[in-house]
Amino acid sequence: MSRVPSPTSVRLSDYLAADTVVDHGHPAIHERADALKTLTDDPAGYAEAAFLFVRDEVEHVIDAADPRVTWRASDVLRERVGICHAKAHLLAALLRAQGIPAGFCYQELSALHGLNAVYLHGRWSRLDARGNRTGAHGEFSLDVEQLAWPVDAARGERDHPEIHPAPAPVVVDFLMTARPGPRWYEKGLPAAL
């Protein structure tokens, strides 16, 4: 069972920052954010549109059997493929590009799984845009958490409710040094934070 999401920083501005990974100042990120913004003027509606775009229009590398490695948000957008962490980087960038605070959360499943949290309506809600194939089932909801994978404590799985303003260094280091190729994610994907 998941716990209430809790931010690791009290400054919402930390959850709007750009960096090398969440490069929401990139023109392609702005172009996609602007296109999604035309669908709605409501911040929650925009967040849902961005979530659905990342979940449904960006392939998960395992589902697609894709050998490419992406980690920077703009690269994930350009290539339209990424592992869960990379997809979370893109969703955070799209949200932050429209001034919506977004952070990073993790679950320890068979490997470390990455997802997002978004700050809307005065509270944090976790979202998992991994993609709904191979048994995953994540849905957009600000009220009831609907993540792609339930945590099974009996199997030693663990939910991390902390909301980090930046992706975990262990994840970024892994993705930046991973070599493209078949099943590249099996070669060192972190199991824990």
Side-chain angles (χ1 to χ4, degrees), residues 48-122:
E48 182 173 13
F51 170 86
L52 292 172
F53 171 78
V54 174
R55 187 192 71 182
D56 299 341
E57 302 296 327
V58 177
E59 288 282 348
H60 190 283
V61 294
I62 295 173
D63 298 342
D66 196 299
R68 292 174 288 173
V69 179
T70 56
W71 54 271
R72 183 180 292 114
S74 59
D75 295 339
V76 178
L77 177 60
R78 182 187 69 242
E79 299 297 327
R80 297 287 177 96
V81 69
I83 199 160
C84 60
H85 303 287
K87 291 180 73 162
H89 301 165
L90 175 57
L91 181 55
L94 290 171
L95 293 169
R96 291 178 182 189
Q98 289 296 318
I100 299 172
F104 301 92
C105 299
Y106 299 93
Q107 294 174 314
E108 292 176 18
L109 305 173
S110 58
L112 192 63
H113 176 59
L115 53 139
N116 296 97
V118 60
Y119 188 80
L120 285 166
H121 306 306

